[in-house]
Amino acid sequence: FFRAQSSILTSAMGDHSLDSPGLTPEEEQEKFKNDAINVVKVNAFQMKRALDKMNLQEALKYGSLMLGELRTSALSPQKYYELYIKVLDELTFLEQHFQEEIKRGTKVEQLYELVQHAGNVVPRMYLLVTVGAVYIKSKEASAKEILRDLVEMCKGVQHPTRGLFLRNYLSQMAKNRLPDVGNEYEGEGGTVEDSVDFIIQNFHEMVRLWVRMETKGIIRDKEKREKERKELRVLVGFNLVRLSQLEGVDSEMYHSANPEAGQDGVVPRQSVLHRILEIIIQCRDQIAQQYLMECIIQVFPDEFHLATLQPYLDSCMLLHQGVDLRNIFTGLMDRLAKFSTTFLEGIKAKDSARIAIEQAIQGMVPLFSTYINKAVVERSKTMTTAVYVQTQHSLLNLVLKAYPEDMEAVNQVIIATSEHFQKSKGEKRIDPQAVKLLKKFLLAPFEHYQNAVVCLELSAIPALLAQLPFKARRDLAKDIASAAAKFSHKVDSVNLVNKLFALISPLIQDEPDQPSFDDLYIDEAEFAEEQNLVACLVHLLHNDNPDILFKMYSAARKQFGTGGAKRFQYTLVPMVFSYLKLAMKIHNMNEQGEECGTPPSKVLQYVLDILQKIAGYIPEQVLRMYLQAGAVADHCRLEDQTYEAISQAMVLYEEQIADSKLQIQVLTVIIATLHSLKNVTEVNYDPLSTKACQYSTKLLKRPDQCQAAFMCSHLFWAREELKDGNKVLECLQRSLKIVDSCAAVQQIQLFVLILNEYLYYFNANNDKVTVKYLNVLLALINTSISKNADDIKPEGHLAPVQTFYQNSLKHIEYKQQDGQADAERWQGIVIKPSAAPLG
């Protein structure tokens, strides 16, 4: 007990005790706090003990000693808060005892007077507030009188930290005891206006105490003081929270003055918002104004903000020059954007209140635009380019949410941003942070609408894009192209094609401010990925009218034509296939009697021109596209263009295809394309098929020559008018001769492949392919198998060939069965091994 008394004495003397040697400031704070809490525990114990003995005087004495620990100035706000919470826990017990005293017949007024005998002001005020809360609950006096008395007496504590926590305790104790509409304290206890007066007066005093902390202490501790002030801001903001929770504070009271002011002695009363803003503006403190203006946005309903938007924004222009208006503006705009979305989606029936809100929503964007521009002029130091873009981004988000279908309103925000950059372009270079924010700003419409085609109607975007450095323009172009490809909405006019490619021009063509290719791209893969993204956009071009679609493709081809050789090989390839698809569509429409202004021949000529342009860069791919173009031209009955396309493919084969593996692959495609032609006459077909046969003899590897030879046989069995059994047999016989010069291991597989070719033609009634040839070939295969018995075992490398051969024999046996068509012809084939000499 005596140790406790000693600690209290030290506290009362101002906590000027010598610092403990060897302790850091944090450890020192922890020690002070623990010492104070220990004193609180000791005195709280004694207080409860006295209460148990019904000795109220003794209990108040120890309660006063316990509360005396809150007089300390040695603790930081955070540590003081921990001590404050501990003391409040103990005061709860005392409050309950006061209530029991009243039930036993003690007059609350006597208790109210009794606690005022405490020696120090801090303990006395905490005791008064505790008894005052019980006094209000007892309803022996009006709540408004007690609250007015308490809020005035709290002025006796002018130390910032102690005063703030005391007034916070007052707010908490009065929280559920304020007169409000429909509650038990309304009427004789007062009205909601009295509660508003109490909260605002308490709020005003707390703001003054909070601001006073700025001038306390030496200049070098300014950073520390600002940190402490920010730790205490919630205590001040709690008043606004409590004010917003009053049921009687409606929109009318919040934004309108007392309509009966001046009548019959009614005292003029300003609106709640006006009184709050007046206190905030008059404090002239940057930290306080910043926090409290943002606090207003968060605690009051959105409908209140809509109704008071202009006076609130007017007040913003009167704040300290150091206040960051961007945070205030963006916070308010973001909140109103969410409200607008919810409100507009929920409209079902129209009434006067809803109509008023709709009108307020319609008018808020021009207001914000006006005040943002005003802030740019009046606060040029704090409203930097990056801050301006962030503010405009929130304004754009507000427009997108409030006016989702008004593209012109969206466009106006982008125009305003572009004009701002135009004005400041000559003054200073755009900083990287502003560039990053501007990219997010420009992408906002694409993310909101999820439709790149709709965003193409925003005419202001290109002008704003032009303000950015090349790398930022290129990154944005990739994001726009990705969005267009992702959402896959169709581009259906030449105008939209030009707009789309204008937005992504850094990907399509070289720009004046573009760095060198090596500096721009780490490797070819990055460039290829970028160009493939552009190529995907070709597939978004669509129109049911083939003439318009042709013009759209021509516009795209013109844009791609400025891209240079490196881009051609990526961007023009999808154009080829799009043109081919269009040519077939036009031909089919013509076949059905529908007229088209664009002939298929013109479309195919564009294809041939494109292929000629890119042939030197991707020869193999172009060769295959030539063959595809030839097949489409044949479908459209354009023989000259069919011949030209396939002959150009053969020229590329001769000049560009040197790899032996690639040669056989490409030759297979050439043969297949020639075989598929339906409308080419013999005059043009013969030189092409003959050329293909010549290629088969020039292959490097014998097995490839063999396969190419028997594949060429199909060129002479394609259509009825072109069938030539002799040439078919000639190709097959030539393939057999080539097998003789192949390795023994390769011969079995080649023989089996040739056997199946013979069976195909025998089944197709080619009279030049007879049973004689088949029996000789079967004998050859059987002999080769017997010589390579080890290799055809299940574990040998020729096992798959053996399986293939056995399946072929089973097919022959099936065809030889009675009841099968031409069974008699097939029965002449001997499928059992023969020992006859091979000749």
Side-chain angles (χ1 to χ4, degrees), residues 8 66 70 80 142 168 237 272 354 398 424 478 493 511 558 562 619 643 674 683 689 702 714 718 836:
I8 294 167
M66 174 187 73
L70 292 176
Y80 190 94
S142 67
N168 178 256
V272 171
R354 285 188 174 275
L398 177 62
S424 60
K478 286 197 288 188
S493 71
E511 303 272 310
K558 184 178 179 180
T562 62
Y643 184 84
L674 290 172
V683 175
S689 59
R702 288 293 185 179
H714 292 277

Side-chain angles (χ1 to χ4, degrees), residues 435-436 439 465 468-477:
V435 170
K436 183 178 178 181
K439 285 163 59 179
L465 266 174
L468 296 173
F470 173 78
K471 189 176 183 308
R473 295 202 308 274
R474 187 191 69 158
D475 292 343
L476 255 174

Side-chain angles (χ1 to χ4, degrees), residues 360-392:
I361 290 174
Q362 291 297 319
M364 63 184 173
V365 171
L367 265 179
F368 274 116
S369 298
T370 301
Y371 283 97
I372 290 171
N373 293 331
K374 194 174 180 182
V376 170
V377 175
E378 296 182 5
R379 296 170 177 258
S380 56
K381 291 183 179 180
T382 56
M383 188 62 77
T384 62
T385 304
V387 170
Y388 177 77
V389 175
Q390 284 180 296
T391 310
Q392 287 294 99

Side-chain angles (χ1 to χ4, degrees), residues 299-343:
V299 302
F300 288 104
D302 300 313
E303 293 88 343
F304 288 17
H305 297 316
L306 275 175
T308 58
L309 192 55
Q310 184 158 357
Y312 182 86
L313 294 176
D314 278 333
S315 299
C316 289
M317 306 313 299
L318 301 175
L319 299 178
H320 188 280
Q321 283 290 322
V323 172
D324 184 1
L325 291 184
R326 188 265 306 174
N327 277 345
I328 297 172
F329 286 170
T330 55
L332 184 54
M333 286 188 285
D334 291 346
R335 176 149 185 180
L336 290 177
K338 291 178 182 178
F339 170 75
S340 299
T341 303
T342 307
F343 178 80

Side-chain angles (χ1 to χ4, degrees), residues 486-622:
K486 177 182 178 182
F487 302 132
S488 299
H489 291 91
K490 300 303 180 184
V491 180
D492 59 2
S493 71
V494 175
N495 184 39
L496 289 178
V497 171
N498 290 328
K499 286 181 177 180
L500 175 61
F501 289 131
L503 287 182
I504 62 170
S505 61
L507 307 181
I508 295 176
Q509 60 188 11
D510 291 338
E511 303 272 310
D513 57 342
Q514 177 178 329
S516 66
F517 184 87
D518 293 335
D519 293 336
L520 192 57
Y521 298 102
I522 300 173
D523 53 30
E524 287 282 349
E526 183 184 358
F527 177 73
E529 181 182 357
E530 181 182 283
Q531 293 305 305
N532 284 328
L533 179 60
V534 175
C536 289
L537 301 183
V538 174
H539 302 294
L540 299 180
L541 310 187
H542 175 78
N543 195 295
D544 292 332
N545 187 324
D547 295 328
I548 296 177
L549 187 57
F550 178 71
K551 292 177 181 178
M552 290 166 59
Y553 286 155
S554 299
R557 185 176 67 93
K558 184 178 179 180
Q559 295 274 2
F560 293 149
T562 62
K566 283 185 177 293
R567 294 185 177 89
F568 288 163
Q569 56 189 300
Y570 298 100
T571 55
L572 291 181
V573 170
M575 289 302 310
V576 169
F577 289 100
S578 297
Y579 273 128
L580 292 177
K581 185 178 178 181
L582 178 61
M584 293 187 70
K585 180 179 180 179
I586 293 173
H587 172 74
N588 293 336
M589 290 177 68
N590 291 338
E591 289 285 302
Q592 295 170 8
E594 299 180 39
E595 292 296 328
C596 292
T598 306
S601 58
K602 184 176 181 180
V603 179
L604 285 167
Q605 190 56 51
Y606 272 51
V607 172
L608 297 176
D609 292 345
I610 291 173
L611 293 177
Q612 186 178 9
K613 192 171 186 177
I614 62 176
Y617 306 106
I618 44 173
E620 181 198 348
Q621 196 171 353
V622 170

Side-chain angles (χ1 to χ4, degrees), residues 168-192:
N168 178 256
Y169 180 61
L170 173 62
S171 295
Q172 290 192 28
M173 294 302 290
K175 180 179 178 181
N176 298 319
R177 297 171 174 86
L178 293 174
D180 197 2
V181 174
N183 75 358
E184 59 181 307
Y185 301 105
E186 187 185 23
E188 292 184 5
T191 63
V192 70

Side-chain angles (χ1 to χ4, degrees), residues 179 190-198 248 253 258 269 275:
T191 63
V192 70
E193 286 84 358
D194 296 316
S195 298
V196 170
D197 290 342
F198 164 75
M253 180 181 290
N258 188 349
R269 190 186 299 275
R275 295 164 72 184

